[in-house]
Amino acid sequence: MALDALLEKIRSRECVTYAFLLEGDALREALEEEAGVGTLSGMPMENRALAECLGKEVAVCMFCNGVFEQSSASEHIMVMEDGRGNVVGHDVSKEMAVVFKDDPEVFWLCDDFVMYPGRASIGDIKMVMLPKRIRSLGESDGVRNPVILYPATTTDLILKRRFDVAADSRVSSAILAFDVAR
């Protein structure tokens, strides 16, 4: 499938309001901003989603007013890891919140993030942004290994300004990155 046809397929999704090829200065500016993003608490952050996007051949900036693809219950976008790589906390979807609601092993850091204090080993703790794997696009669409990065607010604003999209909190940006299927 040609890139133009793929962009039209992406734009045809109910949740996608706009989709643009992200390249050149626009790509560089967005990725540089995203690389500088940290946590509000000052905790170290590793952006594996960004690292994976940087290794892909094509990037598309999407503006969505909903979820591009529903995650499974076990998929996370943000996790907290200890120095040994053990997951000691993670994001919790609204659908999964009931599972953790009365769990005595978890500590709620906010409405959508739990931590397991008993799992942490000695060493530094860091936040890790994970890429979201996309299952609804594949080789028949001309893509291999597609992932989505949900950028930070500052990057979102840069992308909205770059593509002349109104700064509306109901519309968020996402970067879809993939390799071309040959």
Side-chain angles (χ1 to χ4, degrees):
M1 180 180 286
L3 192 53
D4 288 340
L6 176 62
L7 284 171
E8 283 308 312
K9 181 177 181 173
I10 291 169
R11 289 179 187 125
S12 72
R13 293 207 176 186
E14 189 175 323
C15 68
V16 177
T17 55
Y18 304 101
F20 304 98
L21 189 59
L22 187 56
E23 56 189 352
D25 288 341
L27 176 61
R28 209 170 4 270
E29 183 181 15
L31 296 180
E32 283 175 5
E33 176 64 28
E34 193 64 18
V37 171
T39 62
L40 291 175
S41 67
M43 184 181 295
M45 185 165 103
E46 179 183 345
N47 195 331
R48 292 182 194 155
L50 176 61
E52 189 152 342
C53 285
L54 288 170
K56 301 291 185 186
E57 295 173 312
V58 178
V60 173
C61 179
M62 303 181 300
F63 294 95
C64 305
N65 59 7
V67 177
F68 183 77
E69 182 178 283
Q70 199 63 261
S71 297
S72 72
S74 62
E75 280 183 296
H76 301 290
I77 299 297
M78 182 73 76
V79 297
M80 186 183 287
E81 288 184 356
D82 67 12
R84 293 185 177 156
N86 299 314
V87 174
V88 298
H90 57 78
D91 55 352
V92 177
S93 67
K94 290 177 185 170
E95 298 79 27
M96 289 300 294
V98 68
V99 172
F100 298 97
K101 182 179 166 224
D102 297 321
D103 187 338
E105 301 294 315
V106 303
F107 174 78
W108 287 87
L109 292 178
C110 60
D111 291 352
D112 62 354
F113 200 93
V114 295
M115 183 177 178
Y116 303 91
R119 290 187 185 177
S121 66
I122 297 173
D124 293 333
I125 292 180
K126 65 182 173 186
M127 297 299 288
V128 180
M129 177 70 77
L130 300 172
K132 173 158 177 21
R133 309 263 173 236
I134 298 300
R135 295 174 302 281
S136 60
L137 297 173
E139 295 205 12
S140 63
D141 301 304
V143 305
R144 279 187 311 109
N145 304 318
V147 296
I148 284 185
L149 160 68
Y150 294 104
T153 304
T154 54
T155 307
D156 176 72
L157 291 172
I158 287 170
L159 291 168
K160 285 177 178 171
R161 210 171 25 249
R162 174 64 78 156
F163 291 107
D164 199 26
V165 173
D168 181 346
S169 63
R170 295 170 296 180
V171 175
S172 59
S173 60
I175 298 172
L176 171 68
F178 56 88
D179 293 318
V180 177
R182 294 179 166 77

